[in-house]
Amino acid sequence: MGPIPFQCWRLIPLSFPTVRLRRLRRTPALRHLVAETQLAPKDLIYPLFILEGRNQRQPIPSMPGIFQQSVDNALIEIDSALKLGIKAIMLFGVPEEKDSQATSALMSHGVVQQAIRKIKETFGNDLVVMADTCLCEYTSHGHCGIILDGQILNDPTIEVLSQVAVSQAEAGADIVCPSDMMDGRVQAIRWALDEAGLTDTAILSHASKYASALYAPFRDAAQSSPSFGDRKTYQMDCRNKREALDEIEQDLLEGMDMLMIKPALSYLDILQSARNLVNIPIVAYNVSGEYSMVKAASEKGWIDEEKVVLEMLTGVKRAGADMITTYHALEAAQWLSAH
Ligand code: PBG
Ligand code: ZN
């Protein structure tokens, strides 16, 4: 063989028609092979609203498919969640008694504390139990803090929150999840837990939680609407992003183990920036309003629910979430395992 004749050489330009990005989209197997983001049942955290008593199951009209239920019924749902590969739940209490000081939030026999004990007794460490650590479900006024003269007081609130966290951890919660947005609460909770010898209980902080209209169905579910005003003096303004990063930095310094970004779908830029800022696990909260909008549109036959839900959840992971708290968890896990 002689030398390659000059005419056969060709400069290969790094553009069309040499480059054809469609090559790797040709078959399902190729697409699967090159997929950058994976969504799996173990990424999903299922929220549950726990009622006192037994054999209770109340549908939440604005959240089709979601119930307030007593712990005996919750155990059945949790069992099916585990069978589908879901590893974690997040508990919200719907207590019978509410007062201005959120007393029922920190009682050792409170609705959530009892539920945690029962759930841990049943499933042990096969299941990660997360407890929402806030006051709004337990206060007569529905705010996330202690009130004096119409003001939501920061420092007295974090004292109460610390006691709530300790009571949940004592009951067996693996992770406490402050969702109140008071300043300094992660530090206060960490100290209180450590002082109580609960050094292994982790803190998932809702470090960047926005004042969002998308929480409306949740407030039906948790019966936690504020009786006056709104949450804008503690939850964040949707116009701000740098402030979210400040909130995250503060909670990191205070000792959060995991970060929650909430809501998810209208805040994917926050999620992506948070991903670049921290190395700890990030959870995104696909909130009630995001759930209800999908349910409503699919009930009308306007969208393909399965495809839309899986696309949205994948988008949240792609933006930077490691895990997603979502009311779609059971259905999504079913769809994922059917694939
Ligand atoms: C309250 C709390 C809220 C949610 C979780 N914890 C609502 C609120 O701030 O009023 C919302 C979750 C959802 O909408 O699914 N601390
Ligand atoms: Zn709250």
Side-chain angles (χ1 to χ4, degrees):
M1 284 272 272
I4 301 170
F6 177 75
Q7 308 86 287
C8 291
W9 293 9
R10 184 148 76 98
L11 180 66
I12 298 181
L14 287 175
S15 65
F16 180 82
T18 312
V19 173
R20 291 178 185 268
L21 291 168
R22 287 183 56 191
R23 279 184 198 119
L24 299 182
R25 294 179 209 145
R26 194 169 49 85
T27 67
L30 271 168
R31 293 196 292 274
H32 193 57
L33 183 72
V34 301
E36 299 171 36
T37 308
Q38 270 79 37
L39 180 68
K42 70 125 191 122
D43 304 329
L44 307 175
I45 300 165
Y46 189 51
L48 289 150
F49 300 100
I50 306 294
L51 288 173
E52 290 178 23
R54 270 201 229 158
N55 204 19
Q56 302 291 313
R57 192 167 159 89
Q58 300 289 337
I60 299 153
S62 54
M63 300 178 73
I66 302 296
F67 299 82
Q68 298 175 330
Q69 54 194 334
S70 48
V71 64
D72 49 348
N73 282 332
L75 291 176
I76 301 168
E77 246 193 338
I78 296 168
D79 190 57
S80 42
L82 275 170
K83 290 195 172 111
L84 288 165
I86 293 168
K87 303 284 180 207
I89 56 163
M90 186 172 284
L91 298 175
F92 294 89
V94 186
E96 266 159 30
E97 300 293 327
K98 302 190 186 209
D99 62 21
S100 64
Q101 307 299 306
T103 311
S104 59
L106 49 91
M107 301 184 307
S108 64
H109 57 285
V111 57
V112 151
Q113 289 79 1
Q114 286 192 31
I116 295 169
R117 275 196 201 90
K118 193 87 204 156
I119 291 166
K120 272 289 167 189
E121 222 173 86
T122 313
F123 300 106
N125 288 334
D126 292 342
L127 179 76
V128 176
V129 175
M130 303 179 174
D132 180 66
T133 307
C134 200
L135 306 189
C136 53
E137 302 122 74
Y138 307 90
T139 49
S140 41
H141 47 69
H143 274 289
C144 303
I146 300 298
I147 292 183
L148 190 67
D149 298 332
Q151 304 288 317
I152 290 95
L153 302 180
N154 195 87
D155 300 10
T157 299
I158 65 179
E159 299 224 343
V160 181
L161 283 168
S162 309
Q163 296 171 39
V164 176
V166 167
S167 73
Q168 294 171 336
E170 274 171 350
D174 297 293
I175 304 181
V176 293
C177 311
S179 64
D180 53 288
M181 290 299 282
M182 299 299 136
D183 290 319
R185 91 279 205 200
V186 172
Q187 181 182 67
I189 289 172
R190 185 71 271 158
W191 285 354
L193 289 172
D194 288 355
E195 207 158 287
L198 299 158
T199 53
D200 288 339
T201 307
I203 300 174
L204 165 51
S205 175
H206 291 59
S208 112
K209 176 174 176 182
Y210 285 85
S212 172
L214 292 158
Y215 303 151
F218 172 94
R219 292 180 191 167
D220 293 342
Q223 287 155 13
S224 62
S225 288
S227 61
F228 67 92
D230 54 37
R231 303 209 200 288
K232 289 185 178 169
T233 69
Y234 41 108
Q235 298 179 348
M236 285 181 45
D237 187 315
C238 69
R239 291 169 292 191
N240 295 351
K241 176 169 181 171
R242 295 190 307 263
E243 188 189 357
L245 303 180
D246 278 344
E247 284 283 359
I248 293 166
E249 264 173 12
Q250 286 301 312
D251 283 9
L252 266 182
L253 293 171
E254 292 179 28
M256 75 169 153
D257 301 283
M258 295 167 75
L259 164 63
M260 178 73 91
I261 306 285
K262 177 177 180 174
L265 293 170
S266 303
Y267 297 84
L268 295 181
D269 58 324
I270 311 298
L271 195 50
Q272 183 165 24
S273 296
R275 181 68 292 164
N276 294 332
L277 182 68
V278 307
N279 295 318
I280 58 172
I282 301 180
V283 185
Y285 203 133
N286 177 217
V287 299
S288 56
E290 297 172 333
Y291 173 84
S292 300
M293 290 191 291
V294 170
K295 283 286 170 188
S298 65
E299 274 177 12
K300 282 186 172 280
W302 290 348
I303 56 170
D304 179 326
E305 186 179 1
E306 171 176 348
K307 291 200 173 100
V308 167
V309 168
L310 294 180
E311 180 178 336
M312 285 177 164
L313 296 177
T314 302
V316 173
K317 278 209 78 185
R318 191 188 60 238
D322 298 296
M323 283 149 276
I324 306 168
T325 302
T326 178
Y327 305 98
H328 296 293
L330 292 186
E331 287 172 315
Q334 245 152 16
W335 295 325
L336 288 168
S337 27
H339 282 189

